[in-house]
Amino acid sequence: MTIENNLINIRESLEGKEVGIIAVSKTRTIQEMEKAYSQGIRDFGENKVQDFITKYDEFHKDVKWHFIGHLQKNKVKYIVGKVFLIHSLDSIKLLEELEKKYAKENSFVDALIQINISKDIKKWGIFIEQVEEFIKECEKCKHVRIKGLMTVISKGNEKHCRDQFLLMKNLFEDLGKREFKNVNMKYLSMGMSGDYAYAVENGSNLIRIGEGIFGKRDYSK
Ligand SMILES: *Cc1c(COP(=O)(O)O)cnc(C)c1O
């Protein structure tokens, strides 16, 4: 399957739904990314700061960059002014660093709170029980603006996926009904190549697709 065909199929499966596609281009070359770009994709996702800034410099200027990987505090300075949306806000320490660095540049950044919905010790994100406390901290910020939630679920069968995504949907909707300062539930970022159909069923409006667009990743290169 070509990148072009993969995109046609994904778009067909989303027909009539308001769901944004992020092409997760980690490990991919500019040439591969160019194929997705030529099909109209403008949202790209990267998970490593160094790769992201290289591609940011080399690739089209009208791209919206999504930072989807764990972000170390000491690397925040490299991404200021370059990302459209940070999906991986996963600690108060990172929140504070983002606020500080963006304030210094008199600039703003949109971010999603990453939820570790599966309580998987190998995954980043905050637990559902910590959300209230986390949002209180977000309300104190001016330069980091919360636009929703993101999750990476643990692997499992269809039922497992649906159950995890449903928990996220309920959280997203509950928070969306409430009034917070600086916190809005606009984006629910969930679903990857293998499970995005179940995510969309449960209200995801931003899916992050890597292998489903570009083919299998090769980490040996
Ligand atoms: C790699 C990655 C994806 C895409 O995964 P695929 O299985 O290739 O679709 C999505 N989200 C995050 C956070 C990732 O690191």
Side-chain angles (χ1 to χ4, degrees):
M1 283 292 255
T2 63
I3 291 173
E4 289 80 359
N5 278 327
N6 288 337
L7 276 168
I8 289 168
N9 290 338
I10 293 166
R11 282 181 168 140
E12 224 169 67
S13 72
L14 296 172
E15 193 90 68
K17 301 193 177 91
E18 295 252 332
V19 178
I21 301 171
I22 299 170
V24 176
S25 50
K26 62 190 188 197
T27 77
R28 309 297 173 169
T29 62
I30 295 284
Q31 288 72 28
E32 290 173 290
M33 292 165 67
E34 203 65 67
K35 292 192 181 140
Y37 184 91
S38 73
Q39 295 299 304
I41 292 286
R42 291 296 178 271
D43 293 82
F44 286 83
E46 287 287 332
N47 69 338
K48 295 219 159 64
V49 170
Q50 186 55 58
D51 295 344
F52 161 59
I53 48 184
T54 306
K55 287 173 175 172
Y56 178 89
D57 287 338
E58 289 179 13
F59 205 50
H60 297 276
K61 296 304 162 219
D62 61 343
V63 160
K64 291 185 209 148
W65 291 101
H66 297 257
F67 197 83
I68 61 171
H70 176 61
L71 180 56
Q72 284 171 280
K73 258 182 58 183
N74 61 341
K75 296 202 172 151
V76 165
K77 56 180 179 282
Y78 302 116
I79 67 157
V80 174
K82 297 184 175 171
V83 281
F84 171 73
L85 186 63
I86 296 172
H87 291 234
S88 43
L89 177 57
D90 58 10
S91 74
I92 291 173
K93 289 249 177 315
L94 176 61
L95 174 71
E96 288 169 350
E97 181 66 10
L98 286 165
E99 177 67 19
K100 193 170 112 192
K101 288 288 188 286
Y102 276 85
K104 208 169 134 199
E105 299 294 321
N106 215 347
S107 174
F108 299 88
V109 66
D110 291 341
L112 308 180
I113 303 172
Q114 181 169 355
I115 310 290
N116 186 351
I117 199 72
S118 319
K119 292 203 170 73
D120 181 339
I121 52 160
K122 294 193 296 285
K123 295 206 184 311
W124 299 98
I126 67 166
F127 289 166
I128 210 164
E129 293 81 4
Q130 303 167 320
V131 170
E132 291 287 330
E133 196 192 335
F134 197 85
I135 286 181
K136 283 205 183 89
E137 296 301 317
C138 297
E139 288 192 289
K140 295 179 194 162
C141 294
K142 280 204 186 73
H143 297 267
V144 185
R145 301 182 293 210
I146 304 301
K147 298 291 179 189
L149 307 176
M150 177 272 216
T151 196
V152 179
I153 62 166
S154 59
K155 296 244 177 314
N157 62 20
E158 212 176 296
K159 180 178 184 315
H160 168 82
C161 294
R162 287 203 164 101
D163 289 349
Q164 309 293 292
F165 289 140
L166 180 60
L167 286 174
M168 286 296 296
K169 176 185 200 255
N170 292 338
L171 177 64
F172 183 75
E173 287 180 350
D174 289 346
L175 294 174
K177 285 180 200 135
R178 293 168 53 191
E179 287 274 339
F180 299 105
K181 198 171 151 251
N182 195 40
V183 175
N184 287 294
M185 291 297 129
K186 178 175 180 193
Y187 297 115
L188 180 55
S189 165
M190 60 185 193
M192 310 181 5
S193 297
D195 58 18
Y196 77 85
Y198 313 131
V200 169
E201 268 173 29
N202 285 292
S204 168
N205 55 20
L206 210 44
I207 57 176
R208 310 178 307 267
I209 312 289
E211 296 195 328
I213 294 175
F214 296 105
K216 254 201 132 21
R217 260 185 307 278
D218 181 359
Y219 286 102
S220 65
K221 282 188 257 177

